[in-house]
Amino acid sequence: MHDTTALVDIAARMPKAELHLHLEGTLEPEMLLDLARRNAVPVRFSTADEVRQAYEFTGLQSFLDLYYEGIGVMRTAQDFHDLTAAYLRRASADGVRHIEPFFDPQAHTRRGVPFDDVVGGIVSALREGERELGITWRLVMCFLRDLPAIDAFETLGQALPYRDVITAVGLDSSEIGNPPEKFEGVFSLARAEGFQTVSHAGEEGDAGHVRRTLDTLHVSRIDHGVSSMTDPALVERLVAEGIPLTICPLSNVKLGGFASVREHPLREMLDAGIVATLNSDDPAYFGGYLLDNYRAAIEELGLGRDHLHTLARNSFEASFLTAAEKDARLAEVDAFFAQEC
Ligand code: HPA
Ligand code: ZN
């Protein structure tokens, strides 16, 4: 038997990946204010505390309104580099070995920031992180689902010269009113162009959204998908087809999906055999980075050592690493737990 402190220590040291993380959602208030000054962008906040006081969300949209407001201070390749580098330092401190972060190019190109500056800044930091911290990566470009599908096609076109650094496309922003069918064409083209695909679904939408996302967008994993648990046939399908869910408990609580982590279905998901992974989503806004999510799940859901072993394995199983790379990571995870009695 391990007490919760010992389990959090295991979670900190075990090899693991983070697969659901919006780089723009790592913008801490201090950096927001620094970038606003550096770029002479007027903001309505004068202190970090004032920014944090605005973190009162009534649902996804109220969060997104603040998220896009914060994004307005990012202007240059150096800004995207610094944002990414700060996240990498946090991830490294939490013992993260591999990341597949999202970025939202349309939130920047629509403000006149060149696509190349966004990708260039992010990738330069990811390369440094790999060299200096040993954190490997695959980058995922999300389309904003509240914008017209034609804009997503244009963004896909901009990404074609960057296929060596952008592995997958995803879909985020406002789920309600923006069904997966809207993006069937652009996801089909993205697959034909060699991109992997993921999509947010079942965060505020019901289990039907998850099902339709699988049927129309043919994604390899679902981001969130928490509402799947209300539909036993869907759970059976996720297990049978090995479709991973990237779960973010602190995010779900902060946006009102659950009253507390105690109510979150992560443990039932793992016990049902779903390839569930644990992630932080927008850690600057939702009260914690990856290890904070592990701590909450251990303390409030009573996750044990075997759950941690499964979550570590799932984080690599669900990744876009090659089969050989996955095998090597899974062997590392198993070796870690073998000597961790
Ligand atoms: N959900 C949907 N879209 C998002 C999120 C999220 O949590 N964060 C950034 N874009
Ligand atoms: Zn997300």
Side-chain angles (χ1 to χ4, degrees):
M1 260 321 266
H2 295 83
D3 62 19
T4 54
T5 314
L7 288 167
V8 173
D9 180 56
I10 290 174
R13 290 182 294 108
M14 69 185 190
K16 58 194 170 292
E18 179 156 49
L19 308 180
H20 186 156
L21 179 283
H22 302 262
L23 285 170
E24 295 91 341
T26 69
L27 181 65
E28 293 286 349
E30 291 76 10
M31 185 176 282
L32 188 158
L33 295 172
D34 283 351
L35 295 184
R37 258 190 304 274
R38 182 155 106 185
N39 295 322
V41 176
V43 285
R44 65 185 164 104
F45 307 107
S46 39
T47 65
D49 277 352
E50 275 181 40
V51 183
R52 290 199 169 88
Q53 274 154 26
Y55 288 5
E56 284 301 328
F57 309 123
T58 51
L60 177 57
Q61 192 57 52
S62 70
F63 155 69
L64 289 170
D65 292 344
L66 187 67
Y67 170 87
Y68 292 123
E69 185 181 353
I71 280 175
V73 303
M74 285 185 255
R75 291 285 162 91
T76 67
Q78 187 69 47
D79 299 341
F80 289 94
H81 171 279
D82 294 352
L83 178 80
T84 307
Y87 162 63
L88 281 158
R89 286 192 293 274
R90 283 301 304 255
S92 180
D94 282 358
V96 178
R97 307 284 181 85
H98 176 74
I99 57 173
E100 300 193 351
F102 303 131
F103 73 112
D104 287 330
Q106 290 160 292
H108 313 298
T109 54
R110 70 180 171 189
R111 301 180 291 113
V113 180
F115 188 91
D116 184 64
D117 290 359
V118 178
V119 178
I122 292 171
V123 168
S124 67
L126 291 172
R127 288 188 170 136
E128 278 170 25
E130 181 160 9
R131 238 183 3 255
E132 293 164 16
L133 305 169
I135 298 177
T136 53
W137 55 276
R138 298 284 188 274
L139 186 57
V140 182
M141 175 181 87
C142 284
F143 302 119
L144 300 186
R145 67 196 305 161
D146 48 334
L147 297 185
I150 188 75
D151 295 15
F153 276 104
E154 189 188 338
T155 303
L156 179 62
Q158 290 175 306
L160 293 181
Y162 298 88
R163 269 178 287 200
D164 57 331
V165 290
I166 300 174
T167 299
V169 300
L171 193 58
D172 66 1
S173 205
S174 318
E175 183 177 6
I176 303 296
N178 297 293
E181 290 80 3
K182 183 175 162 185
F183 296 94
E184 189 167 4
V186 74
F187 268 62
S188 168
L189 182 58
R191 280 197 313 280
E193 293 290 355
F195 292 97
Q196 306 273 4
T197 57
V198 299
S199 176
H200 282 55
E203 180 182 17
E204 287 194 332
D206 62 16
H209 274 236
V210 178
R211 192 186 289 283
R212 283 157 48 207
T213 298
L214 294 173
D215 291 339
T216 61
L217 303 184
H218 307 287
V219 292
S220 342
R221 62 186 191 234
I222 295 280
D223 296 311
H224 292 299
V226 275
S227 64
S228 308
M229 292 308 277
T230 61
D231 181 340
L234 177 58
V235 170
E236 225 173 90
R237 176 177 177 185
L238 294 173
V239 174
E241 297 180 19
I243 297 159
L245 303 183
T246 60
I247 299 297
C248 312
L250 292 179
S251 164
N252 295 152
V253 169
K254 195 75 183 175
L255 297 189
F258 301 95
S260 74
V261 172
R262 235 169 262 284
E263 320 291 318
H264 197 284
L266 171 65
R267 185 173 172 150
E268 286 86 69
M269 290 172 161
L270 291 169
D271 292 343
I274 292 176
V275 184
T277 67
L278 194 52
N279 308 273
S280 69
D281 206 3
D282 298 281
Y285 294 92
F286 296 152
Y289 286 77
L290 185 58
L291 194 58
D292 300 306
N293 277 271
Y294 271 101
R295 184 178 297 108
I298 289 165
E299 290 176 353
E300 299 189 47
L301 294 175
L303 296 194
R305 178 188 180 280
D306 290 350
H307 290 115
L308 297 180
H309 190 169
T310 302
L311 283 168
R313 287 187 62 92
N314 288 355
S315 74
F316 293 113
E317 291 274 18
S319 74
F320 290 126
L321 290 167
T322 64
E325 288 167 332
K326 282 185 193 182
D327 285 348
R329 301 305 182 99
L330 293 173
E332 258 183 76
V333 170
D334 290 346
F336 173 87
F337 279 93
Q339 51 86 44
E340 198 65 44
C341 304

